[in-house]
């Protein structure tokens, strides 16, 4: 590992390379960043790395103890859950440290109790209720602290409330060794019952060098209305304290105004990313219930303008609900709908128990069930693109948005998203039969084979014929699904995290298995499985870990990295503090595949201002400190 002193921080370059594939220095001809020897193979090594008994499918990775290797936190799906009070009592989550194994290699060690992550405020021996976590340095001491989100289902709160019902989202401060203590309670969760927190992302929203927090919420009461909870923005002071600035920031929504898009909507994911390239991070809300997604553009001082519909992020332009099977049933039963109905409607479902509310005809109800929005430069033009992971059903018809790439385009008129033609681009998961479902829940953008192009990993669950789909980006910018060919064809792989866990240069994948609905036929428990990549034997990789200095948060959340190889290939990454459905987070280190290239020029735009430039190579492994 090599550390380079920067004006605004420290750049740690990690890497591993196979034998040299071609030269790219001095007077040598340009290298080929897209050249790889062969496709990677992912081998399941769950037991070898100590994950055989781990259960859960909400996953995050971060270096919690500062040893240079990403650790894991795994949560079970559920709400209002406590556990671990007695021997044999299941834990609702596991904190797993990535440690050297006695026999060589690495192994995950369960330190849930010792870590203090689950300590409740009431001091009982139970582990408090928590459903996900995201990491960043909130108090400026150089280690990664945690926001731990609690999803309390208000319809399942006991009377009188149980201790788990009163657990709330918390901030946990790290001592640098992976031991956590509860910070002072966060507003607005300092009193009363926990909220239905469904996602969170750390970001430096006002450029002051301190991380802030973007938190989304689920339905206020699922099944009783279409109203969601209020999503919130909290500004960090850099000492572990936060102030709720939601009101007045431009993100406050209302209990009405569905047609205008002013309403609160149930969110299933939070993402912070600089989508318009102006140097500050913007906020994305992934909405459920086929409601409009929201995009809040930042003016640099944590004041936001909602532009979801104006940019095309809110939903696609397909609003024809005439293929909705419930609507066709209503056409048969209600003659007053005739002006809206297609000729001779013939529903393909049993209409006995169907129902079609009139609000389903409205534009605000003909969008997606968006669980995760992943942000990255998929097309390689320097503009951030988006990938939405969506659940879509055959019976809902064409107006229900499917999982897709949203290509970001910047012009004098501003930001606009163009949705890919999924069939032509090779991005459509296989449909089996007429009554197909797409169960997109989690997603990651990562260069899995080292060819300098981002691939897409889509985690799915709940329905028949669902797998972890891997869309490999080809040289023509189109995609091909290669999950089975590469060894990542995991059935009902709803949980997902991608990181270089063994620090050999390439990206490994950990998958959590879904047990809902049809997936329960395949998995009795939410097993967690580890897939090790061999891509570093077939291509070169450069992994960069930024450590912010004065004026920038130490984890460099919000920094943008632009890496250029001698053949002109440019790759852009942004350091993100969690994203998507229930706190997805991959390693803060950024991994670039550079094919046959052996060096690259790196430019870093630091959060809070300032840029720095560096030459980096895969071979920089020795320790050099400023």
């Amino acid at each position: 590992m090599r550390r380079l002193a920067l004006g605004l921080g420290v750049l740690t370059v990690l890497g591993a390379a196979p034998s040299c594939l071609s030269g790219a220095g001095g007077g040598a001809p340009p290298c080929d960043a897209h050249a790889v020897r062969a496709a990677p193979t992912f081998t399941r090594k769950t037991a070898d790395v100590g994950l055989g008994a781990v259960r859960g499918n909400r996953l995050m990775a971060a270096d919690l103890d500062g040893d240079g290797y990403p650790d894991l936190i795994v949560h079970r799906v559920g709400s209002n859950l406590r556990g671990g009070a007695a021997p044999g009592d299941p834990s609702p989550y596991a904190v797993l440290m990535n440690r050297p194994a006695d026999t060589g290699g690495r192994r995950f060690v369960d330190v849930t109790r010792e870590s203090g992550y689950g300590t409740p405020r009431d001091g009982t021996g139970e582990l408090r209720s928590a459903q996900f976590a995201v990491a960043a340095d909130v108090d400026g001491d150089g280690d990664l602290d945690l926001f731990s989100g609690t999803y309390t289902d208000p319809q399942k709160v006991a009377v009188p409330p149980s201790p788990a019902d009163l657990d709330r989202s918390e901030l946990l401060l790290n001592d640098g060794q992976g031991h956590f203590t509860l910070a002072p309670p966060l507003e607005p969760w300092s009193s009363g019952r926990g909220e239905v927190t469904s996602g969170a992302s750390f970001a430096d929203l006002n450029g002051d060098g301190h991380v802030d927090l973007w938190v989304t919420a689920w339905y206020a009461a699922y099944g009783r209305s279409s109203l969601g909870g209020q999503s919130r923005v909290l500004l960090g002071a850099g000492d572990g304290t936060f102030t709720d600035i939601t009101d007045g920031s431009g993100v406050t929504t209302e209990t009405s105004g569905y047609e205008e898009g002013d309403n609160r909507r149930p969110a299933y994911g939070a993402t912070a990313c600089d989508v318009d390239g102006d140097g500050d991070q913007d906020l994305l809300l992934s909405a459920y219930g086929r409601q409009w997604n929201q995009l809040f553009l930042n003016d640099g001082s944590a004041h936001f303008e909602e532009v979801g519909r104006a940019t095309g992020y809110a939903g696609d332009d397909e609003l024809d609900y005439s293929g909705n099977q419930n609507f066709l049933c209503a056409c048969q039963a209600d003659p007053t709908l005739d002006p809206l109905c297609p000729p001779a409607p013939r529903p393909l479902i049993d209409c006995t128990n169907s129902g079609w509310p009139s609000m389903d005809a409205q534009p605000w109800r003909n969008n997606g069930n968006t669980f995760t929005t992943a942000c990255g430069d998929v097309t390689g033009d320097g503009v951030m693109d988006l990938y939405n992971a969506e659940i879509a059903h055959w019976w809902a018809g064409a107006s229900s948005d499917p999982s897709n790439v949203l290509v970001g385009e910047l012009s004098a008129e501003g930001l606009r998203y163009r949705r890919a033609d999924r069939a032509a681009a090779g991005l459509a998961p296989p449909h089996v039969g007429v009554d197909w479902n797409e169960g997109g829940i989690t997603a990651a953008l990562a260069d899995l084979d080292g060819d300098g192009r981002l691939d897409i990993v889509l985690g799915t669950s709940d329905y028949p014929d669902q797998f972890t789909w891997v869309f490999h980006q080809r040289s023509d910018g189109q995609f091909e699904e290669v999950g089975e060919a590469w060894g990542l064809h995991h059935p009902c792989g709803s949980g997902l995290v991608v990181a270089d866990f063994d620090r050999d240069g390439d990206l490994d994948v950990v998958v959590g298995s879904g047990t809902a609905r049809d997936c329960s036929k395949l998995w009795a428990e939410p097993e967690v499985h580890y897939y090790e990549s061999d891509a570093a034997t077939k291509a070169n990789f450069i992994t960069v870990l930024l450590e912010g200095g004065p004026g920038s948060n130490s984890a460099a959340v919000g920094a943008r990295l632009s890496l250029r190889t001698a053949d002109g290939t440019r790759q852009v990454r942004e350091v993100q503090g969690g994203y998507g459905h229930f706190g997805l987070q991959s390693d803060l280190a950024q991994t670039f595949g550079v094919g046959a290239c052996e060096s690259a020029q790196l430019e870093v735009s630091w959060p809070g201002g300032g840029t720095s430039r560096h030459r980096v190579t895969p071979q920089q492994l020795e320790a050099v400190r400023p």
Side-chain angles (χ1 to χ4, degrees):
M1 180 171 66
R2 180 172 180 174
R3 295 178 180 239
L4 305 175
L6 307 181
L8 292 168
V10 174
L11 172 75
T12 302
V13 182
L14 311 172
S19 58
C20 295
L21 302 181
S22 72
C31 62
D32 186 351
H34 304 307
V36 299
R37 288 179 167 176
T41 297
F42 289 83
T43 304
R44 187 185 290 188
K45 293 191 175 180
T46 305
D48 296 346
V49 300
L51 294 179
V54 176
R55 300 293 181 263
N57 45 20
R58 288 175 179 156
L59 315 176
M60 68 86 71
D63 181 6
L64 302 177
D65 58 359
D67 67 351
Y69 287 83
D71 308 300
L72 273 174
I73 302 181
V74 179
H75 291 80
R76 287 177 176 261
V77 170
S79 64
N80 306 22
L81 294 177
R82 278 192 172 189
D89 186 7
S91 170
Y93 37 75
V95 179
L96 303 155
M97 292 297 181
N98 186 351
R99 300 272 167 78
D102 293 338
T103 56
R106 309 291 299 184
R107 189 173 181 85
F108 291 99
V109 178
D110 191 329
V111 298
T112 306
R113 280 285 182 185
E114 305 95 288
S115 73
Y117 175 76
T119 303
R121 287 200 178 270
D122 58 19
T124 68
E126 294 180 297
L127 296 172
R128 64 181 174 82
S129 177
Q131 281 67 49
F132 72 91
V134 292
D137 181 8
V138 304
D139 54 4
D141 62 356
D143 53 43
L144 295 179
D145 310 298
L146 297 171
F147 173 78
S148 177
T150 298
Y151 174 97
T152 302
D153 188 336
Q155 298 179 83
K156 297 179 181 178
V157 172
V159 180
S162 71
D165 294 327
L166 299 177
D167 285 335
R168 58 188 68 92
S169 298
E170 299 276 12
L171 190 67
L172 298 162
L173 301 180
N174 192 347
D175 69 354
Q177 304 298 314
H179 303 115
F180 297 91
T181 55
L182 289 166
L186 284 169
E187 293 288 351
W189 307 294
S190 61
S191 61
R193 299 172 183 172
E195 291 193 352
V196 282
T197 308
S198 58
S201 184
F202 283 113
D204 183 356
L205 298 176
N206 57 358
D208 65 353
H210 308 313
V211 288
D212 311 307
L213 190 57
W214 164 234
V215 183
T216 54
W218 176 236
Y219 279 109
Y222 177 69
R224 298 181 184 177
S225 75
S226 53
L227 185 67
Q230 176 62 56
S231 298
R232 299 190 179 276
V233 175
L234 287 77
L235 286 190
D239 58 1
T241 63
F242 287 79
T243 302
D244 184 358
I245 65 158
T246 303
D247 292 338
S249 69
V251 304
T252 302
T253 44
E254 307 297 335
T255 57
S256 59
Y258 290 84
E259 291 78 7
E260 298 79 16
D262 298 330
N263 64 293
R264 293 177 195 164
R265 63 215 64 188
Y268 246 158
T271 300
C273 183
D274 181 6
V275 295
D276 56 0
D278 64 353
D280 53 51
Q281 289 182 282
D282 310 296
L283 304 178
L284 299 102
L285 180 147
S286 305
Y288 185 75
R290 303 203 301 277
Q291 295 200 45
W292 283 314
N293 295 324
Q294 290 179 294
L295 169 55
F296 299 94
L297 286 186
N298 190 351
D299 70 355
S301 61
H303 294 95
F304 301 90
E305 177 188 5
E306 206 286 305
V307 295
R309 283 181 291 163
T311 59
Y313 171 64
D316 66 22
D317 295 329
E318 177 59 78
L319 301 177
D320 181 6
Y321 55 84
S322 62
N324 186 310
Q325 296 295 306
N326 291 313
F327 172 67
L328 296 179
C329 286
C331 285
Q332 285 191 335
D334 186 355
T336 65
L337 292 175
D338 281 350
L340 303 176
C341 296
R346 295 178 181 175
L348 299 177
I349 63 172
D350 181 353
C351 293
T352 304
N353 296 314
S354 69
W356 186 77
S358 60
M359 68 180 180
D360 278 10
Q362 301 301 314
W364 65 269
R365 275 281 287 184
N366 282 279
N367 305 286
N369 295 302
T370 313
F371 282 66
T372 290
T373 298
C375 182
D377 182 14
V378 177
T379 59
D381 63 354
V383 178
M384 287 297 183
D385 310 301
L386 306 174
Y387 182 82
N388 283 348
E390 314 260 11
I391 281 184
H393 308 288
W394 73 280
W395 56 260
S399 65
S400 182
D401 298 358
S403 300
N404 203 357
V405 169
L406 282 64
V407 178
E409 298 175 339
L410 284 172
S411 68
E413 287 71 39
L415 175 67
R416 180 71 187 178
Y417 290 105
R418 172 177 53 83
R419 293 178 185 245
D421 180 331
R422 291 205 315 162
L427 287 168
H431 289 171
V432 179
V434 174
D435 55 342
W436 55 265
N437 300 278
E438 291 186 15
I441 293 179
T442 56
L445 303 177
D447 183 359
L448 296 181
D449 63 340
D451 68 353
R453 305 181 185 94
L454 286 179
D455 308 306
I456 299 168
V457 187
L458 176 62
T460 65
S461 187
D462 286 18
Y463 307 105
D465 308 302
Q466 302 299 298
F467 297 89
T468 299
W469 305 111
V470 181
F471 298 101
H472 170 242
Q473 187 173 180
R474 303 184 318 219
S475 60
D476 60 1
Q478 306 303 302
F479 293 83
E480 57 184 341
E481 205 290 307
V482 297
E484 189 167 11
W486 287 9
L488 280 173
H489 199 59
H490 189 95
C492 291
S494 59
L496 176 68
V497 66
V498 179
D500 181 9
F501 289 102
D502 51 9
R503 287 295 187 234
D504 65 350
D506 53 32
L507 293 168
D508 312 300
V509 179
V510 180
V511 178
S513 309
T515 58
R517 297 185 180 92
D518 294 270
C519 292
S520 63
K521 301 172 185 176
L522 300 174
W523 301 103
E525 294 185 287
E527 297 182 18
V528 174
H529 288 280
Y530 180 94
Y531 292 88
E532 183 178 294
S533 174
D534 69 353
T537 66
K538 300 165 181 176
N540 288 345
F541 291 81
I542 295 173
T543 301
V544 178
L545 177 64
L546 300 180
E547 299 178 8
S552 175
N553 68 90
S554 74
V557 170
R560 180 167 290 205
L561 302 85
S562 178
L563 184 134
R564 191 182 297 273
T565 46
D567 61 350
T569 300
R570 182 188 180 199
Q571 301 179 56
V572 175
R573 302 280 194 275
E574 182 176 303
V575 181
Q576 294 176 298
Y579 72 98
H581 182 60
F582 280 84
L584 297 170
Q585 188 163 14
S586 296
D587 193 2
L588 287 170
Q590 304 299 304
T591 297
F592 300 85
V594 293
C597 294
E598 296 177 354
S599 68
Q601 297 298 320
L602 177 70
E603 180 175 296
V604 180
S605 298
W606 292 88
T611 61
S612 55
R613 294 174 177 83
H614 324 274
R615 180 179 180 272
V616 291
T617 75
Q619 290 82 10
Q620 288 177 340
L621 297 170
E622 70 276 14
V624 177
R625 296 184 180 276

